[in-house]
Amino acid sequence: MSFRLAIWLFINPQKGAAMDIIDLTEKHHPQYFCCLEDWSDEIKEAGNQKELWFNKMKDKGLRVKLAVDNDTVCGMIQYAPAGHSFIDGKDVYFINCIWVHGHKKGIGNYQKKGIGKSLLAAAEDDVKKMNQKGIAAWGLSLPFWMKASWFKKQGYKKADKDGMAVLMWKPFENDAIPPRWIKQKKKPQKIKGKVTVTSFINGWCQAQNMVHERAKRAAQEFGDAVQFQEINTSDRDVLCEWGMCDALFIDDKQVRIGPPPSFESIHKKIGKRVKKLARKV
């Protein structure tokens, strides 16, 4: 049985509106699968990858909580056992993402109202009730989404670092062992006579899912000159083999995918490699 945690946030002093933090139910699947951006045509490019991931993970300890304002879903947090995430850890849960709707479109901007803190507190309480020894989250060292500095303000500390990605965590027990990143072990190799586009996809993040679908569509437009490879890292063994969760490679060069590059940008990058290969033939 799911539990309901009511957290009163006086978002509008005139109305005194209440904010509820609830467990995800089937009723709110459509909003969750599109990361609360059901108004966005761009998010539709991600296809059903998140729904497929959710169906794989729902029986493996995945937890999802939503912030609801008068039946309007305005925030979400998703977290899973370390053994079903992209970190190494024991008796620790990992927060894949925490997101409060911040766009003017759709339901409007709900950020800067304490909703993220409430979602995080609810997740921490939930993990403690499962007798876990800590909770971890990924953060960025730069002031973008999922900022490491924000987690630090909530009492988290650095456990590991890999480039701009900082692994933050909050231990609940003195004997809790800090988690570690699963780091890259190898990268795709070139295929002779072809331009190789390799997409590592996990499904948890719609931004990465958009990149995957755009890359696949762009690669198809070059016909036999391009070989598209999909590596699904929702399989833990595959993830550990490569040491990558979500990534895009053109031949053996990794493409920066944050923020998600447009279809046109990916198509242009592939096209340059195709022209270069043609000159060598």
Side-chain angles (χ1 to χ4, degrees), residues 49-78:
Q49 294 290 348
K50 183 156 188 173
E51 183 176 0
L52 294 173
W53 173 80
F54 173 80
N55 288 332
K56 289 180 182 178
M57 290 290 294
K58 63 183 180 180
D59 295 324
K60 297 180 179 179
L62 174 67
R63 306 282 290 175
V64 181
K65 291 189 181 296
L66 305 175
V68 181
D69 176 24
N70 294 323
D71 208 35
T72 297
V73 181
C74 54
M76 54 177 271
I77 187 170
Q78 56 187 24

Side-chain angles (χ1 to χ4, degrees), residues 95-99 137-142 144-151:
I95 299 170
N96 296 83
C97 75
I98 179 169
W99 164 243
W138 68 274
L140 294 175
S141 56
L142 296 178
F144 299 130
W145 181 55
M146 294 287 286
K147 295 180 288 187
S149 59
W150 183 82
F151 284 100

Side-chain angles (χ1 to χ4, degrees), residues 168-237:
M168 306 295 291
W169 84 307
K170 179 183 283 189
F172 302 145
E173 305 288 345
N174 291 331
D175 61 346
I177 301 172
R180 292 287 180 262
W181 284 125
I182 296 174
K183 296 183 180 180
Q184 182 177 335
K185 297 179 176 65
K186 59 180 182 179
K187 62 182 180 180
Q189 300 300 307
K190 295 181 181 179
I191 296 177
K192 188 175 181 180
K194 299 272 188 180
V195 172
T196 308
V197 177
T198 306
S199 176
F200 292 81
I201 182 168
N202 186 276
W204 72 273
C205 178
Q206 286 292 61
Q208 309 298 342
N209 295 339
M210 281 192 290
V211 172
H212 170 81
E213 295 296 337
R214 289 169 178 171
K216 180 167 64 174
R217 184 157 53 97
Q220 290 171 346
E221 294 201 355
F222 292 94
D224 293 339
V226 176
Q227 177 72 44
F228 182 81
Q229 299 181 135
E230 176 181 323
I231 298 178
N232 194 314
T233 61
S234 63
D235 183 321
R236 175 78 173 189
D237 291 337

